[in-house]
């Protein structure tokens, strides 16, 4: 089964939708770390949501969803680029106790200090342009509700999500009410009624059904009375963007005194990528080279700027 994202629109209602199923990518993410089942569920649901939200945007670049927790789960991160290449990881507190069946609030928002961060990093940034970042309190008892609340607040768009994940698959459904420019009072009322009707149909969906049913069957089963136009499917995949160069840049950011102290302690630096498990090693010679090239680059830049 290929990982698939299916976009569709309703011919008779100002509503668009997407269904996604992520299995192979999800297995690759889980192969790197062994997550307790409740954490795995949250990460899988966030994974499906990231693909749905990214495909819903007309945007080239990277979307990063982060949930920063104040409980047993410190961080859930999903990165998804506009080609639906995904990577994901979760960090637990050192002494984390994960109760069976625990949900978002218990794991990530135990003391009400959880934060939800959405970052959009365009591929074609102008010089000096920063990525767009929205930070809101974690608001809602599930991943789907937290995202719905975020979307309503930031985009003023009615968006509904249904998400489910187990060890085999992460599936999700997104419905969004299309905005209408102007329109008569009757049209606006009709739009709202059509939207509510669509949401009622989708709300019959249960997690067990989502986990056990492929998305084409789900689409037919939920909306068999509606006229639906489907688009060419897209295919999410796993991709980690880590590289030796990026790890090197991170070490340079830490600064020479810190790196020298660590080298004195350890002899060499070992870094594992949190997302893919790739192992990187930097010994004294590697680190000396890093800072030498960094100095050379600075010197070049200064020489460049002094010419003006
Ligand atoms: Zn990696």
């Amino acid at each position: 089964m290929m990982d698939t994202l299916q976009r569709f629109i309703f011919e008779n209602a100002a509503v668009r939708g997407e269904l996604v199923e992520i299995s192979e990518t999800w297995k690759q993410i889980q192969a790197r770390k062994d997550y307790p089942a409740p954490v795995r569920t949250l990460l899988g649901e966030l994974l499906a949501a990231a693909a749905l939200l990214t495909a819903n945007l007309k945007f080239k670049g990277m979307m990063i969803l982060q949930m920063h927790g104040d409980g047993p789960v410190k961080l859930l991160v999903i990165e998804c680029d506009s080609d639906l290449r995904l990577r994901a990881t979760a960090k637990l507190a050192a002494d984390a106790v994960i109760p069976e069946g625990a949900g978002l609030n218990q794991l990530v928002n135990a003391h009400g200090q959880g934060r939800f961060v959405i970052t959009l990093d365009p591929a074609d940034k102008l010089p000096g342009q920063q990525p767009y970042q929205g930070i809101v309190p974690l608001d809602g008892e599930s991943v789907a509700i937290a995202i719905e609340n975020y979307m309503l607040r930031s985009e003023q768009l009615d968006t509904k999500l249904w998400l489910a994940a187990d060890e085999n698959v992460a599936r999700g459904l997104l419905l969004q009410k299309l905005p209408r420019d102007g329109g008569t009072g009757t049209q606006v009322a009709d739009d709202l009624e059509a939207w509510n009707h669509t949401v009622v149909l989708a709300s019959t969906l249960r997690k067990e059904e989502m986990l056990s049913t492929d998305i084409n069957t789900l689409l037919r089963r939920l909306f068999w009375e509606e006229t639906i136009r489907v688009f060419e499917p897209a295919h999410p995949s796993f991709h980690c963007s880590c590289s030796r160069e990026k790890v090197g840049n991170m070490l340079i950011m830490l600064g020479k005194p810190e790196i020298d102290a660590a080298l004195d302690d350890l002899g060499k630096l070992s870094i594992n990528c949190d997302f893919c498990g790739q192992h990187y090693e930097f010994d004294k010679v590697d680190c000396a080279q890093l800072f030498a090239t960094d100095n050379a680059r600075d010197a070049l830049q200064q020489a460049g700027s002094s010419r003006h």
Side-chain angles (χ1 to χ4, degrees):
M1 186 175 72
M2 208 175 185
D3 294 352
T4 303
L5 186 139
Q6 182 67 63
R7 292 168 58 228
F8 56 92
I9 57 167
F10 292 80
E11 298 283 16
N12 306 315
V15 177
R16 69 176 160 203
E18 292 168 8
L19 274 157
V20 71
E21 63 195 350
I22 306 176
S23 180
E24 194 47 48
T25 305
W26 183 216
K27 277 179 194 145
Q28 292 196 45
I29 290 166
Q30 290 177 84
R32 272 85 186 181
K33 277 189 196 171
D34 200 11
Y35 295 111
V39 178
R40 185 181 65 203
T41 302
L42 292 183
L43 194 66
E45 291 187 0
L46 200 57
L47 182 76
L52 292 169
L53 294 177
T54 305
N56 191 42
L57 286 176
K58 285 165 193 68
F59 158 84
K60 277 262 166 241
M62 177 83 80
M63 175 184 275
I64 305 163
L65 300 185
Q66 291 170 306
M67 288 186 171
H68 292 270
D70 61 356
V73 175
K74 290 292 161 209
L75 181 66
L76 302 166
V77 193
I78 316 284
E79 293 185 13
C80 184
D81 69 15
S82 28
D83 295 323
L84 300 183
R85 299 187 307 170
L86 292 143
R87 63 178 193 168
T89 190
K91 284 197 181 93
L92 307 190
D95 53 352
V97 178
I98 310 289
E100 212 176 312
L104 183 67
N105 275 335
Q106 206 176 344
L107 294 178
V108 191
N109 204 22
H111 308 288
Q113 299 297 311
R115 289 285 176 275
F116 184 31
V117 183
I118 293 190
T119 308
L120 291 179
D121 194 3
D124 47 0
K125 275 200 295 288
L126 301 167
Q129 188 188 349
Q130 295 297 314
Y132 164 81
Q133 195 167 65
I135 306 177
V136 295
L138 257 186
D139 176 14
E141 67 264 27
S142 69
V143 172
I145 294 171
I147 293 174
E148 287 167 9
N149 288 339
Y150 178 91
M151 296 293 284
L152 198 58
R153 210 187 290 215
S154 68
E155 319 244 329
Q156 272 101 49
L157 285 176
D158 277 312
T159 309
K160 294 292 267 179
L161 284 128
W162 291 263
L163 304 167
D166 63 10
E167 70 271 38
N168 297 314
V169 70
R171 281 204 185 85
L173 165 66
L174 176 147
L175 292 177
Q176 192 164 60
K177 185 171 178 286
L178 296 170
R180 184 192 281 273
D181 288 332
T184 65
T186 321
Q187 280 171 331
V188 170
D190 285 351
D191 281 358
L192 188 62
E193 196 186 318
W195 165 247
N196 288 337
H197 174 66
T198 318
V199 171
V200 166
L201 291 177
S203 298
T204 58
L205 204 50
R206 295 285 162 262
K207 296 234 181 203
E208 305 75 56
E209 187 183 9
M210 286 189 84
L211 292 174
S212 60
T213 319
D214 69 84
I215 55 172
N216 286 327
T217 309
L218 285 176
L219 187 62
R220 278 198 307 274
R221 206 181 273 174
L222 288 172
F223 306 120
W224 62 276
E225 280 184 311
E226 314 298 313
T227 313
I228 279 175
R229 179 149 45 106
V230 297
F231 297 93
E232 194 64 29
H235 298 291
S237 62
F238 179 83
H239 173 73
C240 189
S241 52
C242 71
S243 66
R244 189 170 173 84
E245 190 192 349
K246 286 183 184 171
V247 176
N249 286 338
M250 184 196 76
L251 295 177
I252 291 171
M253 299 273 283
L254 287 173
K256 198 166 183 322
E258 185 141 344
I259 298 302
D260 284 345
L263 283 171
D264 282 345
D265 279 355
L266 306 164
K268 66 180 179 202
L269 306 179
S270 294
I271 297 109
N272 288 326
C273 174
D274 272 339
F275 290 94
C276 72
Q278 175 71 45
H279 182 71
Y280 297 96
E281 272 187 10
F282 288 79
D283 61 15
K284 284 187 177 164
V285 177
D286 296 328
C287 290
Q289 225 160 35
L290 274 182
F291 287 102
T293 1
D294 190 46
N295 285 339
R297 199 156 44 204
D298 280 355
L300 268 177
Q301 268 168 7
Q302 272 163 16
S305 56
S306 67
R307 254 185 257 130
H308 295 287

